[in-house]
């Protein structure tokens, strides 16, 4: 069956520090100055995920990784679907690659980005 759980982005903020620490212990995080980056080795994208900004703060990448961790590791979701604009494709590919590399996925896991166009301002 399908079940949906709706929470706001801020719900995942409490998980970000532990998720980043876990990824650091796994050797997934590359420090660059004061920032912390993830370059998933299987990714076709040259840019990293920035999981900690140089000022020590968290961002969109941090939140999305924490949300993905929660959905895969806490909820044990088999299929996670993100319905967002096409411009977010590379970002979600990086997140999905990072999750797979971290061992959060299982053989039956499906991570999917459903694209619906571009958000171009007003």
């Amino acid at each position: 069956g399908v079940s949906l759980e709706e929470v706001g982005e801020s719900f995942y903020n409490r998980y970000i520090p532990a998720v980043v620490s876990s990824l650091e212990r796994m050797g997934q995080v590359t420090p660059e100055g004061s920032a912390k980056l993830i370059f998933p080795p299987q990714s076709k994208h040259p840019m990293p995920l920035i999981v900690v900004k140089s000022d020590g703060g968290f961002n969109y990448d941090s939140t999305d990784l924490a949300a993905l961790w929660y959905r895969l590791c806490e909820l044990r979701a088999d299929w996670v679907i993100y319905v967002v604009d096409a411009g977010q494709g590379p970002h979600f590919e990086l997140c999905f690659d990072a999750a797979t590399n971290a061992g959060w996925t299982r053989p039956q896991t499906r991570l999917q980005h459903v694209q619906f166009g571009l958000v171009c301002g007003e």
Side-chain angles (χ1 to χ4, degrees):
V2 174
S3 67
L4 300 175
E5 178 181 333
E6 187 174 337
V7 297
E9 271 189 357
S10 63
F11 172 83
Y12 303 103
N13 289 349
R14 65 183 145 194
Y15 300 106
I16 294 172
V19 168
V20 172
S21 292
S22 174
L23 290 166
E24 287 179 299
R25 285 191 303 277
M26 288 185 227
Q28 307 294 322
V29 175
T30 302
E32 186 169 299
S34 300
K36 296 179 182 182
L37 315 176
I38 295 178
F39 294 89
Q42 72 276 32
S43 177
K44 63 183 178 185
H45 302 290
M47 70 277 198
L49 289 167
I50 302 170
V51 293
V52 178
K53 301 184 306 180
S54 60
D55 66 4
F58 301 118
N59 60 16
Y60 186 60
D61 293 352
S62 318
T63 303
D64 281 345
L65 275 180
L68 199 49
W69 170 85
Y70 182 84
R71 292 167 180 148
L72 295 172
C73 298
E74 291 294 312
L75 298 178
R76 306 285 294 161
D78 291 324
W79 191 1
V80 180
I81 304 168
Y82 288 85
V83 182
V84 295
D85 75 271
Q88 297 298 312
H91 167 73
F92 283 106
E93 288 174 5
L94 280 164
C95 288
F96 298 164
D97 287 345
T100 300
N101 197 48
W104 299 346
T105 59
R106 295 166 294 164
Q108 73 271 22
T109 301
R110 293 172 62 185
L111 302 174
Q112 184 176 0
H113 171 213
V114 176
Q115 304 175 15
F116 65 80
L118 291 173
V119 175
C120 297
E122 296 182 39

